[in-house]
Amino acid sequence: MKIIHMSDIHGDFESFDKALEIVKATDAEVLAITGDLSGNLFEGEEKEYFEKMNSFLNKSFSTNGTIHDLAEDLVSGKLKIPLENAVQLGEEYLKFEGVAKERMLNNYKQFKERFNTLKQKVVLVPGNWDGKCIDDILAQENLHEKAPIEIDDAQFFGYGSSNEIPIIVPRDLLIDFDSDIAFQYLHAQESRDDLADVVLTHVPPRYFEGENKKHSGDPLMLAYLYRNSPELILCGHIHEPSIIQDKIASTIIVNPGNLGRYQNDSFGTFLEIDTSKEGFTKPEFKVHKIN
């Protein structure tokens, strides 16, 4: 089996389309994407204004609900605060939230259109930049907390998102991440003896972040790794390609790096994984660089 592994596209369709041309020319059976399909939903002054407004609401008010609930309370006058523009602030937040969801859905529609042109089976999990609305468009491809699917000699399943929240995306649109639920879900997936487990996550197991320590892996993902010893864990989140085989569990943890040119990156990367020669114990890897 050949698997194309991408992650952290962040809405960079120029890089994604270049990568797809390579995918279409391969004999890969699977395209696996481990999150952050969506990216910046606001740009320029719009982005700067939303970030300030979102930070202000998060830091300035104590509420048992969500920021969405808070904004609705400001609009309705239910929450009495000594702020002249309280109603306007709530209205503007809700407007930004609606625009963000619409743009996120448009991103997923563009991905769906491209997936429909591929002969490969597409499987994915969302990242911490992706929204709950992903299933409105990509339910067929999304594995997050769903039943495993069998492809050739492997069983694919996954759990997405992470506990790091981008401040420039409305919080209530994003997918919640719970380490305990992730561990319980992943641990409960048992494959037949003749099937390899290929696990898609966005966040890597703790201590398998590679050289980039800006983001940390999840400790319960590490616990799952040692408890279940899957053949492959395909992850993302860390914008750096890495291929690490754990000496105890023999699991291979694979991060393709970021395909999308994020912030100051001038190129993106993705991986081609070939398990056809020595099976899942010693697959061959090829790194593709997209300028």
Side-chain angles (χ1 to χ4, degrees):
M1 177 190 293
K2 287 186 180 180
I3 303 169
I4 303 293
H5 180 199
M6 300 178 182
S7 192
D8 296 78
I9 302 165
H10 288 289
D12 183 353
F13 285 101
E14 182 179 351
S15 293
F16 186 62
D17 286 340
K18 290 179 180 178
L20 285 189
E21 292 305 310
I22 297 173
V23 173
K24 291 175 180 179
T26 72
D27 58 351
E29 291 93 338
V30 180
L31 169 59
I33 302 176
T34 50
D36 284 356
L37 286 79
S38 188
N40 287 326
L41 302 171
F42 306 116
E43 298 291 345
E45 293 182 0
E46 190 181 42
K47 175 183 174 182
E48 183 179 348
Y49 182 77
F50 175 78
E51 186 172 355
K52 289 180 179 178
M53 176 175 57
N54 196 25
S55 297
F56 175 75
L57 290 172
N58 273 285
K59 294 176 181 178
S60 302
F61 299 100
S62 175
T63 175
N64 293 325
T66 65
I67 299 299
H68 175 89
D69 295 334
L70 170 61
E72 288 193 327
D73 287 346
L74 291 174
V75 172
S76 67
K78 181 179 178 181
L79 183 64
K80 303 295 184 182
I81 61 171
L83 192 67
E84 291 184 3
N85 64 337
V87 173
Q88 180 184 354
L89 183 64
E91 289 175 342
E92 287 181 344
Y93 181 86
L94 294 174
K95 180 179 178 180
F96 269 90
E97 188 180 66
V99 169
K101 183 176 180 179
E102 182 179 347
R103 292 175 181 175
M104 194 176 278
L105 282 168
N106 183 57
N107 275 340
Y108 298 143
K109 288 176 183 177
Q110 292 186 64
F111 277 110
K112 184 67 173 181
E113 290 171 358
R114 287 160 169 80
F115 293 158
N116 288 340
T117 68
L118 300 176
K119 64 180 183 294
Q120 286 82 10
K121 173 69 175 178
V122 180
V123 292
L124 61 86
V125 291
N128 57 314
W129 284 74
D130 288 311
K132 299 170 186 175
C133 62
I134 192 170
D135 260 356
D136 292 354
I137 309 296
L138 299 173
Q140 182 178 351
E141 293 82 3
N142 186 13
L143 297 180
H144 177 65
E145 277 197 284
K146 297 180 182 179
I149 64 169
E150 294 182 16
I151 305 174
D152 291 345
D153 54 349
Q155 171 179 264
F156 289 75
F157 53 95
Y159 192 96
S161 193
S162 85
N163 56 12
E164 296 185 43
I165 302 168
I167 195 64
I168 56 175
V169 181
R171 173 69 183 88
D172 302 294
L173 296 182
L174 299 172
I175 296 168
D176 295 325
F177 178 84
D178 188 304
S179 292
D180 290 318
I181 293 175
F183 174 83
Q184 293 166 15
Y185 160 77
L186 294 172
H187 176 60
Q189 312 310 313
E190 294 185 5
S191 65
R192 302 195 314 260
D193 290 340
D194 60 331
L195 292 178
D197 284 339
V198 179
V199 184
L200 277 65
T201 67
H202 183 59
V203 63
R206 178 65 62 83
Y207 307 124
F208 288 90
E209 300 92 347
E211 297 298 323
N212 187 350
K213 302 301 181 183
K214 181 180 180 181
H215 302 288
S216 60
D218 187 79
L220 281 180
M221 292 291 187
L222 179 67
Y224 162 72
L225 186 161
Y226 287 125
R227 185 72 177 269
N228 293 70
S229 301
E231 279 74 13
L232 282 178
I233 294 180
L234 308 180
C235 59
H237 193 48
I238 313 299
H239 290 187
E240 174 189 306
S242 65
I243 301 162
I244 307 170
Q245 183 165 26
D246 181 75
K247 295 179 181 178
I248 299 174
S250 295
T251 298
I252 301 174
I253 301 92
V254 184
N255 193 319
N258 53 302
L259 177 61
R261 294 163 298 180
Y262 182 75
Q263 293 182 343
N264 296 323
D265 296 326
S266 60
F267 64 89
T269 56
F270 69 95
L271 286 172
E272 186 174 338
I273 306 169
D274 188 352
T275 68
S276 60
K277 295 184 178 180
E278 294 191 60
F280 285 89
T281 57
K282 292 183 180 180
E284 293 184 352
F285 298 90
K286 181 178 180 180
V287 179
H288 292 276
K289 182 175 178 180
I290 302 296
N291 292 311

